[in-house]
Amino acid sequence: MNLLFLVFTFPLLGFLTLALGRTRISENAAAVIGVGTVGASALLTAIIGWQFYQLPAGESYTQLLWTWMSVDGFAPNFALRLDQLSMLMMCVITGVGFFIHLFASWYMRGDEAYPRFFAYMNLFVAAMLFLVLGDNLLFLYFGWEGVGLASYLLIGFWYKDAANGAAARKAFVVTRIGDTFMAIGLFIIFHGLGTLDIQQAMTLAPQKWAEGGMMATAAALLLLGGAVGKSAQLPLQTWLPDAMAGPTPVSALIHAATMVTAGVYLIARTHVLFELAPFALDMVGWIGGITLLLAGFTALTQTDIKKILAYSTMSQIGYMFLALGAGAYQPAVFHLMTHAFFKALLFLSAGSVILACHHEQDIFRMGGLRKQIPFTFWVFLIGSLGLVAFPLTSGFFSKDAILFQAWAYGHHELYWMGLAGAFMTALYTFRLIFIAFFGDSHAHEVHKPHGVDHSLPLAVLAVAALFGGWIHIPLDAVLPQAAISEQAEHAEHGLALTSMLVSLAGIFFAWFFFLKNRAAAAAIRDSAIGTLLFRWWREAFGFDWLYDKLFVQTYLLLVRINRRDIADQAIGLIPRLTMMLNTQFTHTQTGQLRWYAGAMAAGAVVVVAAVILL
């Protein structure tokens, strides 16, 4: 485990190599460097994981690299901490990230900026590893901002299209709002506890802050502000659908497998602080529950295959927040892992569909694809079964654990919201499948993807999406699990059956309305109330419109009022005053000897008088 630092060093070196030599690096060399460095990290992670799980249960490992800074008693370390939670996150980032990189090496072939693409991808992986391995909140924040930068670069990768640049700026600005809240939260933690070391802070917090106290609540709410920004939860969720402007492998890596789960990781890592602030913990659950429903209704009205998956991601992160708010920390992180499997598979499969249909993304212009690209259809179906928590798939185990523990811990409102979300997930997911893969084909000529770098990542992720739920990774040493009453345990099987039936009902209604009888769905949509709801949901409940009116237009109004810039005018007084004084002093330069002699005498008198009087 002494080589732990190499896990993030490999992709960081890949980024530097590709960034500095991209104009001189061929496509093949860029693929070898970009994919190979992340593959090396994944291999090293597997070796470290084998060594780590040989340690006694609950043991952790800290690798001190150097002291970052030392300022008036503030001396954060540049150190890595490996425990059960960071080990799981490292496996997800490097493992899923490697197969996404491998798929991208095929998907991005022929792009003029091929080396630049992999430079940004490597930077993102390195930054995400910083985030999860940092043993203090300052180091974590460094990685937090790193993934924000990398996501901006990747979302706007095709920057020559103005819409892509706008999407990248939107993601950057909206997530910066959350990051500002988080930074203020770190100031409060350091002021109140005297440290940003995560383990020390979590130990000192119950000693120095009372449960429900103002300081603990303020710190937890501010960290929650950062989490909702990165994880695209209400009210900072608007950036995620626009982020689909980036290449599809970017969506798979950043907006499905890793970056959007950073907020979940942050809350899980600092759960002690949130338990001291019950109001903040309740807010986590309610934000997640509301977001998963809003995203589910919106996904039901979208026609872009990537945007449907984007709103699905938002909804699934909502499940994780719901679980955290209910105190089901381990199921939340378990769902984080299974979601990485099936959502990365869905995005990569969607990328394969898009290329097969010559960059067409509207599902109503597809149809009949199951016969034309059968392999892509089957892996997409497997990913979808995981997403809807079909029995015995990976998503079934994690989502069932979330709903069961939400009920067992007395959060019945969150349970019902999660159950409604399960129905919506099945409905919009199989709406996509029945429209795009069944029925009559609307595509003229379908290109059949092939190649190991295309099929291998999809096949591996399909296996993970099917059987990943059987993987048991212990988290007891880092995340608590409250006792469950005997009465609740007896209800577990009934709750699981209910969840399964609700998901199957969603699939049935999707089959009826979007395959068997599409006219019925059209009639409902074209009714008076249906048209109103359809437009409202399709616009994602109007949050973009609302924010534009409240913030963007207000800001532009202030800019127009202050178009001459009052601050610049005030600061401009300084050079103008200096120039005026300079002009006046130049009048003293007459060139007359008597004037200079008199001035020197007067100056001498002033100096002597000052000495005598003072």
Side-chain angles (χ1 to χ4, degrees), residues 205-237:
Q207 301 173 11
K208 294 192 175 184
W209 289 341
E211 182 176 337
M214 183 180 67
M215 292 293 286
T217 302
L221 286 175
L222 288 165
L223 292 185
L224 175 59
V228 298
K230 266 302 182 282
S231 293
Q233 296 294 287
L234 193 72
L236 300 179
Q237 81 283 11

Side-chain angles (χ1 to χ4, degrees), residues 494-514:
L495 294 173
L497 179 61
T498 301
S499 174
M500 181 180 68
L501 292 177
V502 164
S503 294
L504 293 176
I507 296 173
F508 170 78
F509 280 105
W511 169 79
F512 180 79
F513 284 112
F514 302 110

Side-chain angles (χ1 to χ4, degrees), residues 389-403:
F390 194 81
L392 302 183
T393 62
S394 61
F396 171 78
F397 294 98
S398 55
K399 191 176 290 186
D400 178 63
I402 289 173
L403 294 176

Side-chain angles (χ1 to χ4, degrees), residues 471-483:
I471 300 173
H472 175 69
I473 297 181
L475 293 168
D476 297 323
V478 287
L479 297 175
Q481 182 164 315

Side-chain angles (χ1 to χ4, degrees), residues 10 18 86 103 227 268 368 523:
F10 284 138
L18 292 167
S86 56
F103 182 89

Side-chain angles (χ1 to χ4, degrees), residues 4 26 46 62 130 159 189 245 253 279 290 343 358 388 411 420 423 436 453 470 525 594:
L4 181 61
S26 66
T62 300
F130 286 157
Y159 61 87
I189 291 173
L253 181 65
F279 174 75
I290 295 172
K343 188 53 66 65
H358 306 282
V388 304
H411 298 274
F423 175 80
D453 44 3
W470 298 90
R525 186 194 62 195
R594 285 177 294 178

Side-chain angles (χ1 to χ4, degrees), residues 522-598:
I524 295 173
R525 186 194 62 195
D526 294 337
S527 65
I529 186 66
T531 300
L532 177 63
L533 290 176
F534 181 83
R535 290 178 178 176
W536 191 34
W537 294 349
R538 187 168 188 175
E539 295 301 319
F541 291 81
F543 277 95
D544 276 320
W545 176 87
L546 178 64
Y547 291 166
D548 180 71
K549 297 299 181 185
L550 287 179
F551 303 112
V552 178
Q553 296 301 324
T554 302
Y555 177 77
L556 293 176
L557 175 62
L558 294 174
V559 168
R560 285 193 292 270
I561 294 172
N562 189 36
R563 59 185 177 276
R564 298 189 65 183
D565 201 330
I566 297 171
D568 275 357
Q569 294 294 323
I571 294 173
L573 290 174
I574 298 174
R576 287 197 291 270
L577 179 61
T578 303
M579 294 175 65
M580 183 186 70
L581 292 175
N582 177 72
T583 301
Q584 296 303 317
F585 280 122
T586 58
H587 295 323
T588 65
Q589 305 302 309
T590 63
Q592 298 178 5
L593 184 61
R594 285 177 294 178
W595 169 260
Y596 293 151

